[in-house]
């Protein structure tokens, strides 16, 4: 048991060191993946482009109801962009599929006459009017590699329309091929270099360039800027393979308000809707979490024909359909900062703190084990504590060597009532004391220990000490035919226990047959006198 206790610190120390090595090499890579419980909600509102607060209508939108009116119109508006990204199937240990629903809602508008009003949003199953508060709505789905956060092409689609009852999501979505940029989360260990960033409005990858480092809510971030080039949105087909609704308008020149050389009021002028953007993202570099986002969105109508044959008044015409700067709310930034800190703490504990603690504890345990082992040897004992090495034994006069079991003397006292009836033997040849090495050490007894009734007629001066059959006795003039096997009458090793019937008092000892005479030479030899022990009284 002491050996186990001594080895326990060493075993625990080795286990701690092994865990210190295994955690950063095995556990941390498991943490450096896109979590399958990812749930990101971001809210951005329109803000003045010049950064001045107080403007309640910082954005511009196209009046959709003006399509049925004599002239196109625009509103000043306040907009809110909401986006929620969650993990959906198919997701497993290698890939994660994100589904991100995004809406742009018109909170309030102000017309050219300065009239203000709030807009309301109809329920999802109701018909929407041209002045409904819902401006745009899309659902983006993309599968990414969990280790790199890069799209893997398994799922890549954009849902542009509501799914009718009993319909299929695929029938309301378009496939987005060759998608390779980040969007909702960057990869791990972001560097100060260029990355691809995907823009769903124009369905293309833009290059996000590193600009600067900036600390947001106590978290270091890398600032990237992606310029999304101008794109004709009418070239981005809907699920039916046609230009999306509202991306191509054929209206008279007077409706557009176009006047100039070569242009008549009733000439039908075709305009396409274009889009471009400048997007700012602030990324925590260790985990790839986006803490803050801001984007300048521009969508506008202009002529797709920029040839010289097209009148300049038409070529130079441009009308904003959506223009505004969207900035993440403070609540969203705080939430993302907390999320990034949580991820960073997990990686810090798994990659640095826990291995250091376990390594230090392991080393200390091994040092403690070595100290215990050294102290045990210094004290001169077996480390297990079983046998003291330097403790002298009773048999070597302090020589410093422990006595072995074979060298130790076993003293066996006789059991009470084990003395046989005694008969004075005839004088005969002197008994010969057998070799001490063939005998067991025995106790000696005073004459007064003998039963008085049986030995009252014996001359005490010639009294011979009576010994149990297991003790030494003279073999002179003895032959195998004269005696029986005495092993059956030997007392147990400890000197106690039942005595065989043949050895009971009243029978010649050690003979089983009481009628057989005892040979003269078959007398018991007295043990060697040992007055040094003070046990004989003659």
């Amino acid at each position: 048991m002491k050996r186990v206790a001594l080895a326990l610190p060493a075993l625990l120390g080795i286990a701690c060191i092994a865990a210190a090595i295994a955690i950063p090499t095995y556990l941390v890579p498991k943490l450096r993946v896109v979590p399958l419980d990812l749930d990101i909600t971001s809210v951005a509102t329109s803000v003045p482009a010049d950064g001045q607060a107080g403007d309640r209508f910082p954005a511009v939108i196209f009046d959709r109801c003006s399509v049925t009116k004599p002239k196109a119109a625009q509103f000043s508006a306040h907009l809110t962009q909401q986006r929620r990204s969650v993990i959906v199937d198919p997701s497993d240990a290698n890939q994660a599929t994100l589904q991100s629903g995004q809406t742009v809602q018109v909170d309030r508008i102000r017309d050219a006459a300065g009239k203000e009003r709030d807009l309301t949003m109809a329920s999802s199953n109701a018909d929407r009017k041209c002045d409904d508060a819902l401006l745009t709505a899309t659902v983006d789905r993309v599968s990414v590699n969990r280790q790199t956060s890069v799209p893997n092409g398994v799922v890549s689609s954009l849902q542009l329309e509501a799914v009718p009852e009993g319909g299929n999501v695929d029938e309301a979505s378009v496939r987005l091929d060759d998608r390779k940029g980040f969007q909702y989360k960057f990869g791990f260990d972001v560097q100060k270099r260029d990355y691809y960033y995907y823009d769903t409005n124009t369905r293309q990858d833009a290059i996000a360039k590193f600009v600067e480092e900036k600390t947001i809510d106590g978290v270091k971030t890398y600032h990237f800027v992606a310029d999304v080039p101008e794109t004709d949105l009418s070239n981005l087909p809907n699920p039916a393979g046609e230009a999306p609704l509202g991306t191509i308008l054929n209206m008279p020149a007077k409706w557009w308000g176009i006047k100039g050389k070569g242009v008549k009021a009733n000439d039908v002028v075709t305009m396409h809707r274009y889009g471009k953007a400048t997007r700012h993202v602030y990324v925590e570099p260790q985990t790839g979490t986006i803490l803050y986002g801001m984007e300048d969105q521009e969508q506008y109508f202009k002529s797709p024909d920029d040839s010289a044959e097209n009148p300049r008044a038409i070529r130079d015409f441009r009308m904003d359909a959506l223009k505004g700067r969207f900035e993440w709310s403070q609540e969203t930034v705080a939430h993302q900062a907390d999320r990034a800190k949580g991820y960073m703490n997990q990686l810090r504990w798994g990659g640095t703190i826990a291995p250091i603690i376990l390594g230090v504890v392991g080393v200390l345990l091994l040092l403690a084990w070595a100290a215990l082992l050294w102290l045990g040897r210094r004290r001169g004992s077996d480390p297990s504590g079983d046998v003291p090495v330097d403790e002298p034994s009773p048999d070597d006069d302090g020589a410093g060597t422990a006595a072995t079991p074979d060298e130790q003397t076993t003293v066996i006292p006789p059991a009470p009532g084990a003395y046989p009836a005694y008969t004075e033997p005839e004088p005969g040849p002197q008994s010969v004391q057998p070799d001490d090495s063939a005998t067991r050490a025995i106790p000696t007894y005073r004459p007064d220990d003998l039963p008085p009734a049986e030995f009252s007629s014996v001359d005490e001066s010639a009294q011979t000490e009576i010994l149990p059959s297991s003790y030494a006795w003279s073999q002179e003039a003895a032959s195998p035919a004269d005696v029986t096997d005495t092993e059956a009458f030997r007392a147990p090793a400890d000197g106690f226990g039942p005595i065989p019937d043949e050895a009971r008092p009243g029978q010649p000892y050690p003979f089983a047959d009481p009628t057989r005479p005892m040979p003269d030479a078959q007398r018991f030899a007295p043990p060697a006198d040992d007055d040094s022990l003070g046990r004989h009284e003659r």
Side-chain angles (χ1 to χ4, degrees):
M1 193 65 182
K2 292 183 178 180
R3 293 181 184 274
V4 175
L6 180 64
L8 186 60
L11 295 176
L12 293 177
I14 294 173
C16 288
I17 293 176
I21 297 173
I23 288 176
T25 57
Y26 178 78
L27 179 61
V28 172
K30 298 294 183 181
L31 297 175
R32 293 169 59 88
V33 295
V34 177
L36 295 180
D37 60 349
L38 188 70
D39 190 342
I40 302 174
T41 299
S42 63
V43 178
T45 57
S46 56
V47 297
D50 56 6
Q52 298 296 321
D55 191 350
R56 299 179 64 246
F57 303 92
V60 176
I61 62 172
F62 172 66
D63 180 6
R64 292 164 292 177
C65 295
S66 65
V67 174
T68 59
K69 295 179 180 179
K71 188 175 181 179
Q74 296 170 305
F75 291 129
S76 297
H78 183 277
L79 309 176
T80 298
Q81 182 188 75
Q82 294 180 325
R83 183 171 63 194
R84 185 184 181 191
S85 304
V86 297
I87 300 295
V88 297
D89 290 331
S91 296
D92 51 36
N94 298 317
Q95 71 172 4
T97 300
L98 290 94
Q99 175 177 283
S100 180
Q102 177 174 293
T103 62
V104 177
Q105 177 180 336
V106 182
D107 302 316
R108 52 184 179 269
I109 59 174
R110 182 176 61 195
D111 59 19
K115 183 179 179 180
E116 301 177 6
R117 63 189 177 98
D118 295 336
L119 300 185
T120 58
M121 186 183 300
S123 60
S124 58
N125 57 357
D127 294 334
R128 299 188 182 277
K129 299 180 180 180
C130 60
D131 60 349
D132 191 87
L134 182 63
L135 188 61
T136 62
T138 59
V139 178
D140 181 32
R141 297 179 181 88
V142 57
S143 293
V144 300
N145 183 292
R146 292 190 65 192
Q147 283 72 37
T148 63
S149 301
V150 175
N152 60 12
V154 175
V155 175
S156 182
S157 64
L158 183 65
Q159 181 181 337
L160 302 173
E161 302 172 358
V163 179
E165 185 177 354
N168 192 312
V169 172
D170 294 337
E171 297 176 355
S173 306
V174 293
R175 172 78 183 181
L176 303 179
D177 296 319
D178 301 326
R179 182 177 186 172
K180 53 183 177 290
F182 299 127
Q183 192 169 355
Y184 308 108
K185 180 188 178 302
F186 275 61
F188 293 87
D189 294 330
V190 178
Q191 305 298 315
K192 298 178 180 180
R193 62 177 181 85
D194 296 348
Y195 290 93
Y196 281 116
Y197 193 89
Y198 193 79
D199 180 68
T200 53
N201 292 328
T202 60
R203 306 183 198 176
Q204 63 180 318
D205 289 298
I207 297 176
K209 298 181 178 181
F210 172 78
V211 177
E212 62 178 347
E213 285 189 21
K214 186 175 181 180
T215 300
I216 299 177
D217 283 5
V219 180
K220 182 183 73 174
T221 64
Y222 288 173
H223 179 195
F224 293 90
V225 177
D227 290 319
V228 181
E230 180 183 77
T231 303
D232 187 347
L233 301 182
S234 65
N235 292 331
L236 307 177
N238 61 13
E242 302 173 348
L245 183 65
T247 58
I248 299 178
L249 286 181
N250 299 308
M251 303 297 288
K254 61 180 180 181
W255 185 86
W256 291 109
I258 300 175
K259 298 178 181 179
K261 183 179 178 180
V263 179
K264 297 180 180 180
N266 292 326
D267 287 346
V268 175
V269 178
T270 299
M271 295 290 177
H272 289 192
R273 186 167 179 160
Y274 287 80
K276 66 178 182 179
T278 300
R279 181 171 286 106
H280 301 255
V281 290
Y282 293 78
V283 183
E284 193 286 308
Q286 187 177 359
T287 64
T289 304
I290 300 177
L291 264 69
Y292 171 72
M294 182 182 69
E295 58 187 45
D296 293 319
Q297 286 283 348
E298 290 187 67
Q299 295 184 16
Y300 45 87
F301 289 103
K302 76 170 192 175
S303 174
D305 184 6
D306 58 355
S307 64
E309 290 78 11
N310 196 23
R312 178 176 293 274
I314 296 177
R315 283 186 288 148
D316 294 343
F317 178 81
R318 176 171 167 167
M319 183 179 73
D320 290 325
L322 171 63
K323 183 178 182 179
R325 169 172 287 183
F326 294 89
E327 183 178 6
W328 283 16
S329 66
Q330 288 299 319
E331 292 79 7
T332 299
V333 174
H335 180 74
Q336 288 298 100
D338 291 341
R339 183 187 298 272
K341 291 176 183 177
Y343 292 153
M344 293 168 63
N345 286 336
Q346 291 180 10
L347 295 176
R348 186 180 300 111
W349 272 96
T352 305
I353 298 177
I356 290 176
I357 293 176
L358 290 172
V360 171
V361 172
V363 171
L364 292 177
L365 287 171
L366 289 178
L367 291 176
W369 169 76
L372 291 174
L373 189 64
W374 180 78
L375 288 175
R377 292 179 176 177
R378 183 175 178 83
R379 291 173 180 173
S381 63
D382 186 343
S384 65
D386 292 341
V387 180
V389 175
D390 296 333
E391 181 179 347
S393 69
D395 297 331
D396 60 5
D397 294 330
T401 303
T404 62
D406 292 338
E407 298 172 340
Q408 295 177 3
T409 301
T410 302
V411 178
I412 305 175
Y419 298 100
Y422 179 76
T423 303
E424 181 67 18
E426 295 290 334
Q430 179 66 33
S431 300
V432 179
Q433 177 68 28
D435 184 23
D436 290 342
S437 63
T439 64
R440 297 171 58 187
I442 59 174
T444 56
Y445 301 92
R446 297 181 179 88
D448 54 359
D449 290 333
L450 299 175
E454 298 181 37
F455 295 93
S456 59
S457 62
V458 180
D459 184 4
E460 184 174 341
S461 61
Q463 175 67 47
T464 302
E465 296 187 27
I466 305 304
L467 310 176
S469 63
S470 60
Y471 300 145
W473 51 291
S474 172
Q475 297 295 323
E476 184 179 13
S479 64
D482 297 328
V483 297
T484 60
D485 184 6
T486 61
E487 290 296 327
F489 311 110
R490 295 181 186 269
D494 57 2
F496 299 97
I499 302 300
D501 292 337
E502 295 83 349
R504 297 295 180 183
Q507 295 186 17
Y509 188 79
F511 300 96
D513 186 358
T515 62
R516 294 181 61 187
M518 179 181 292
D520 293 341
Q522 196 72 20
R523 63 177 62 187
F524 291 98
D529 201 359
D530 190 359
D531 291 334
S532 64
L533 297 177
R535 303 174 72 176
H536 291 282
E537 295 181 6
R538 298 295 184 185

